Amino acid sequence: MRIKIAPSILSARFDRLGEQVKEAAEAGADLLHIDVMDGHFVPNLTMGPTIVSSIRPLTKIPFDAHLMVTHPQQFVAPFADAGVDDLTVHVESDHDVRKTIRMIRDAGVKPGLVLNPATPFDRAIPFLPDVDLLLVMTVQPGFAGQAFRSDVVPKIREARAYLDKERLKTELQVDGGIKIDTAPIVAEAGADILVSGSGIFPDHVAANLKKLREVAEKAARLRT
Ligand code: DX5
Ligand code: ZN
């Protein structure tokens, strides 16, 4: 049972971001998670396409950009040009979701859809055949280092059961408060990709990543 790990650079040391990106890649990260916040959809500002294009030459691992913005469509082309491999957009943002998914696909990038903790799984159903990723948030987006919301676990199970029943290839990603103690919970519930910020960065990146993968894969083997 293979679980993918996506370190979130939001918890990296920005004074040496390049080194931290290389550390994560060399440690075997499957994806690099890039949290984009606009100070409007969420109460925080983070990084834009310029940062992505600056770190893009440092590694070949796929870049997974998570757009926490009110108007995602205006950022599709800039992030595609900066070299991201997938772009996940919130169903709660102010947009025509189907159109945004198509724009992302047309830009040569894999589209993904994100659900906030309070948003029911049903909201994602109409779009699942058209997205490569479904991201279920296990914290309210905006900041790294928040506590994992165990009330979201039933939604992860519901999503896993639906994707399996419909034989969809959409990968199930979880993000927020994923550490050694919570990684087994989400892996057992059916997650394929675990995002982790403060569970991996800034120190002991390789050891943290290895341990996270170990406990997650062990728990995933217990899935029924
Ligand atoms: C939260 C972001 C997460 C965050 C995860 O708004 O979407 O990706 O960086 O950080 P941790 O793992 O520390 O909760
Ligand atoms: Zn994120």
Side-chain angles (χ1 to χ4, degrees), residues 134-181:
L134 173 67
L135 170 51
V136 173
M137 292 304 299
T138 41
V139 296
Q140 184 63 22
F143 301 91
Q146 302 182 77
F148 175 77
R149 294 220 357 208
S150 52
D151 57 310
V152 181
V153 175
K155 184 162 63 179
I156 301 168
R157 290 191 196 287
E158 188 184 0
R160 174 79 277 149
Y162 184 90
L163 294 170
D164 289 350
K165 178 169 70 76
E166 298 296 320
R167 297 175 189 277
L168 290 167
K169 293 268 175 285
T170 313
E171 289 187 284
L172 182 55
Q173 186 178 36
V174 293
D175 180 10
I178 307 294
K179 296 198 160 76
I180 298 299
D181 54 338

Side-chain angles (χ1 to χ4, degrees), residues 6 8-11 33-37 42 44 66 68 90 135 137-148 174-179 195-200:
S8 163
I9 57 170
L10 187 56
S11 296
H33 187 80
I34 299 168
D35 285 305
V36 178
M37 305 187 188
V42 290
N44 196 5
H66 173 193
M68 288 158 276
H90 276 261
L135 170 51
M137 292 304 299
T138 41
V139 296
Q140 184 63 22
F143 301 91
Q146 302 182 77
F148 175 77
V174 293
D175 180 10
I178 307 294
K179 296 198 160 76
V195 175
S196 181
S198 52
I200 292 180

Side-chain angles (χ1 to χ4, degrees), residues 60-137:
K60 288 193 171 20
I61 65 168
F63 281 7
D64 164 42
H66 173 193
L67 292 188
M68 288 158 276
V69 303
T70 300
H71 301 294
Q73 290 179 359
Q74 75 188 83
F75 295 109
V76 171
F79 280 102
D81 293 346
V84 301
D85 297 272
D86 63 67
L87 264 178
T88 58
V89 293
H90 276 261
V91 74
E92 305 88 359
S93 292
D94 184 8
H95 61 142
D96 175 339
V97 176
R98 200 167 292 285
K99 188 171 170 207
T100 310
I101 290 169
R102 203 176 319 121
M103 282 175 71
I104 297 171
R105 185 79 72 194
D106 289 348
V109 173
K110 293 179 180 175
L113 193 65
V114 194
L115 301 176
N116 274 340
T119 306
F121 170 67
D122 295 12
R123 290 276 304 276
I125 290 177
F127 309 107
L128 290 178
D130 300 319
V131 292
D132 290 45
L133 289 172
L134 173 67
L135 170 51
V136 173
M137 292 304 299

